[in-house]
Amino acid sequence: MTITEADSNTLMVTSNAFKDGQYMPVDYTGFGKDMSPDFRLHNLSKKAVSIAIIMDDLDIPFLPAYNHWLIWNIPAMQEIPEKIPHGPEIPGLGNARQGIAYGKNKYRGPKQPVFIRNMHRYVFRIYVLDCFLDLTAASVKKDLTEAMEGHVLQQGSIMGKYKRK
């Protein structure tokens, strides 16, 4: 994904839920409340129109990444709240849309099967866009990444770890 020349300032992403590279608390996993974490966007472009988030598990064997969450058309804001509700459209978040990831229109936190006991890395990629995207809630990661092409002003990420106990 290329960043447009409009704004190449680095987007820094933090969360009150966990620090970059650290373990995610159980509340943000399928073993807890399975709620999305909050995000703080530092150095957000003044040209930002909307925000998209893609969450992937980087440690599934034989796959480069397993998609857990897609959300886009979040109005430009510096603080994205935790506990984003389930469903294809989020009225309380400017009618943001959640696509199909992990088979559902909602955040799905880490929940490794009983036979997987190794640590997994979960990356949240935050994209700052110069527009809102015209995608249906039936969209998948490929649809979202294609629609964002040429509209990304900034990109940042935060990575959390989880290991089933």
Side-chain angles (χ1 to χ4, degrees), residues 13-42:
V13 180
T14 61
S15 176
N16 289 325
F18 59 92
K19 294 194 182 317
D20 187 38
Q22 300 298 312
Y23 280 88
M24 297 171 63
V26 72
D27 280 351
Y28 303 95
T29 76
F31 299 106
K33 296 178 182 174
D34 208 13
M35 63 186 191
S36 61
D38 69 296
F39 300 102
R40 303 288 183 259
L41 308 183
H42 309 273

Side-chain angles (χ1 to χ4, degrees), residues 72-92:
W72 63 90
N73 288 353
I74 299 170
M77 59 180 62
Q78 293 181 324
E79 297 184 10
I80 299 170
E82 68 179 9
K83 299 182 195 173
I84 291 176
H86 298 170
E89 194 167 287
I90 312 301

Side-chain angles (χ1 to χ4, degrees), residues 3-161:
I3 296 176
T4 63
E5 293 180 25
D7 191 347
S8 62
N9 293 328
T10 303
L11 179 70
M12 301 299 297
V13 180
T14 61
S15 176
N16 289 325
F18 59 92
K19 294 194 182 317
D20 187 38
Q22 300 298 312
Y23 280 88
M24 297 171 63
V26 72
D27 280 351
Y28 303 95
T29 76
F31 299 106
K33 296 178 182 174
D34 208 13
M35 63 186 191
S36 61
D38 69 296
F39 300 102
R40 303 288 183 259
L41 308 183
H42 309 273
N43 197 32
L44 182 66
S45 171
K46 290 178 177 42
K47 298 176 184 177
V49 174
S50 72
I51 296 166
I53 302 171
I54 298 174
M55 176 198 176
D56 289 321
D57 180 342
L58 301 179
D59 296 304
I60 296 289
F62 311 111
L63 292 175
Y66 185 80
N67 188 234
H68 273 250
W69 188 36
L70 297 172
I71 186 168
W72 63 90
N73 288 353
I74 299 170
M77 59 180 62
Q78 293 181 324
E79 297 184 10
I80 299 170
E82 68 179 9
K83 299 182 195 173
I84 291 176
H86 298 170
E89 194 167 287
I90 312 301
L93 199 56
N95 293 320
R97 291 224 168 124
Q98 295 185 103
I100 303 293
Y102 210 101
K104 304 283 184 185
N105 294 93
K106 65 181 187 175
Y107 172 84
R108 295 295 303 247
K111 190 173 182 183
Q112 298 122 335
V114 68
F115 56 87
I116 295 179
R117 298 287 185 177
N118 58 322
M119 183 274 299
H120 281 225
R121 297 167 297 149
Y122 298 86
V123 65
F124 296 84
R125 290 185 179 90
I126 314 293
Y127 300 91
V128 177
L129 309 175
D130 64 3
C131 65
F132 286 99
L133 301 174
D134 186 20
L135 290 171
T136 70
S139 298
V140 295
K141 181 179 172 181
K142 181 178 186 258
D143 302 321
L144 177 57
T145 56
E146 287 175 0
M148 289 191 302
E149 193 65 43
H151 296 288
V152 179
L153 297 172
Q154 295 174 295
Q155 179 179 336
S157 65
I158 186 170
M159 188 266 296
K161 299 176 185 176

